[in-house]
Amino acid sequence: MLKVPYVTGYLSEHFGDDGFGTLSGYEARGGYRGLRQALDTSPEDLIELLKSSGLQGRGGAGFSAGMKWSFMPTDSDRPKYLVCNADESEPGSFKDRILLERAPHQIVEGILIAAWATGAEKTFIYIRGEYAFPADQVDRAVAEARERGYLGAKVMGKDFAHEIVVTRGAGAYICGEETGLLESLEGKKGLPRKKPPFPAQYGAFGMPTTVNNVETFSHVPHIVCKGADWFRGFGTEKSPGTTLFGVSGQVQRPGLFELPLGTPLDEIIFEHAAGLLEDRPVKGVIPGGMSMPILPANQLDVPMANEFLRERKTMLGTGGIMVMDDTTCMVRVACVISYFFRDESCGQCTQCREGTGWMNSIVERIERGAGEQSDLDILLDVAGKMEGQTICAFSDAAAWPIQGLLRHFREDFEAHIRGKKCPFPGSFEL
Amino acid sequence: MVISDETRSKIDAEIGNFPQRRGALLPALHLVHKDHGYVSTDVAKELAEIFEINPIDVMEVVSFYNLFYDRPQPRHHAHVCTNLPCSLRGARSLLRRLESHFGVRAGEATPDGKLVLGHEECLGACAYAPMMRVDDTYFEDLDFEKAKTILDGLE
């Protein structure tokens, strides 16, 4: 069944209308006006507009989208490409899937505006292999746009050519990392590349390339139509706009909620997601997808924007909020998280390939009741050596959540070691 | 020839989408999985010819991605998501019960070759947990009875 956010904003207000996924339905609700307007604006002015809107990439890293566009060379006659990263795989994240299913034309429109601004001749939409139904929706939308003359040799009759190729991954988390994605797009194993050179110089097939997330593209038509000041009317000064927060775990009303950045975490959990099942107390919350360190129950007042989350040693990531109640065993949480990263490490860098395995073995040993006090020092030592040492950020993303669990829930680990068994029999089954 | 003419022409069309021939390798692998369910030695050889690479280059890619297989597969793949959001809502208990219903361990195929029951990492359905992917279709907000009915009903 198609899913719709519980709280909607400009990105998602029409998600409940089944016609919104079609070209005629999208245009009837104002769609493609942004593209028309953009094609009458110079690429330089468009990039300036994006920069002044303050739109941050919504794929996890939060880098300025306008800055990213401006890195594309303007003095080169090499072909330039865009990539829409629809390889959503961050545990706790499902917003891109709903955007692909319910609003594929919003993405296509954002892509075409970005293509005009950066001079790109082709866009590859790389959709994770498991998203068969979402990929069908995008395929259909691209075909409709081509039919209508919004793609091809003369986009909307202008002297501007663009083509979109929809392609699918095949089940590898690492292909969400932008250079892993580029390798995969070239028909290879998704092994991230060393940077520099960055994709704007050496991207897909060696050509200048900009990679943006599905949601990032989706904001663009709205910014073009309504302006940077309008966009800055949502969110915080440093983190403007809304985002689609995905709430999962032990809440009464799990789902998507489009809210301004900076919305307090406790408002999202208790007001929008209707609090916890059986009104149990919170034990911990992962605020931004599994790579982001956990927050304990006494820090839920944090506004959900990077400038505030960083002060609490975590980040917004993809906005995937996972809520855990007071029955939760945090060592079991560590087992699930470390297993995932062990399974998905591409194996290029020793620190990551070995470190993810070490961390997983140690936390599983602790959960079994066979851990020792010195294991906690080894865990922190291994995690510390995985940070900032590798080709891509996967290794950091594997280390941070374990460090976060030890920072806030060390007592859970020590209780396992002292008692030689798991002291949380009521926790979720492993 | 193991790869049909029809599939070959679809692969050719995919090659036209990419600035370098090899870009169409993943699309081609998806196409041959539709026909054969896995990449046999013969399929790998023919793909290698099409892409002007070595068969080992094809198999290296096959081995990297979870959705590609190098041996014959049961008729269906049923994967229960066991990542954290789903585990918090009972996904692992669901998987245990399905294991005993079918008499297999996660990762094994049923003796009649109908399906392989497995667990999978996050499938992007976190608010609709527990859930499973059966081939290309998601089934969400499951309990044991619902999941059992779906899987028992497979051909």
Side-chain angles (χ1 to χ4, degrees), chain A residues 87-93 128 130-131 172-174 176 340, chain B residues 83 122 124:
Chain A
D87 193 50
E88 179 173 65
S89 315
E90 179 68 25
S93 311
R128 76 175 288 188
E130 294 86 349
Y131 281 3
Y173 173 77
I174 196 61
F340 172 77
Chain B
N83 206 291
C122 187

Side-chain angles (χ1 to χ4, degrees), chain A residues 183-237:
Chain A
E183 287 288 301
S184 180
L185 194 60
E186 295 182 5
K188 302 172 196 159
K189 297 191 283 184
L191 304 181
R193 298 172 179 171
K194 289 195 198 83
K195 288 146 281 217
F198 291 95
Q201 273 72 49
Y202 189 92
F205 305 96
M207 299 301 162
T209 303
T210 294
V211 184
N212 282 139
N213 164 263
V214 167
E215 188 194 325
T216 312
F217 281 121
S218 302
H219 285 277
V220 169
H222 301 280
I223 294 171
V224 171
C225 278
K226 295 166 213 156
D229 287 342
W230 167 83
F231 186 71
R232 285 187 165 280
F234 301 91
T236 68
E237 194 193 335

Side-chain angles (χ1 to χ4, degrees), chain A residues 270-350:
Chain A
F270 294 103
E271 194 173 312
H272 302 298
L276 274 69
L277 292 167
E278 301 165 24
D279 285 323
R280 301 199 72 91
V282 171
K283 183 163 178 178
V285 177
I286 296 176
M290 212 164 74
S291 305
M292 296 306 150
I294 194 165
L295 288 168
N298 63 2
Q299 294 200 24
L300 305 185
D301 58 324
V302 65
M304 289 291 285
N306 271 329
E307 65 270 30
F308 303 103
L309 285 158
R310 278 204 194 93
E311 289 173 2
R312 318 276 179 115
K313 295 197 157 97
T314 188
M315 273 171 68
L316 179 70
T318 56
I321 297 168
M322 288 173 256
V323 182
M324 288 158 259
D325 72 18
D326 62 336
T327 64
T328 309
C329 167
M330 289 300 171
V331 179
R332 292 188 194 184
V333 171
C335 289
V336 175
I337 294 177
S338 59
Y339 175 85
F340 172 77
F341 287 107
R342 176 185 206 158
D343 196 44
E344 297 288 349
S345 172
C346 82
Q348 279 193 103
C349 308
T350 312

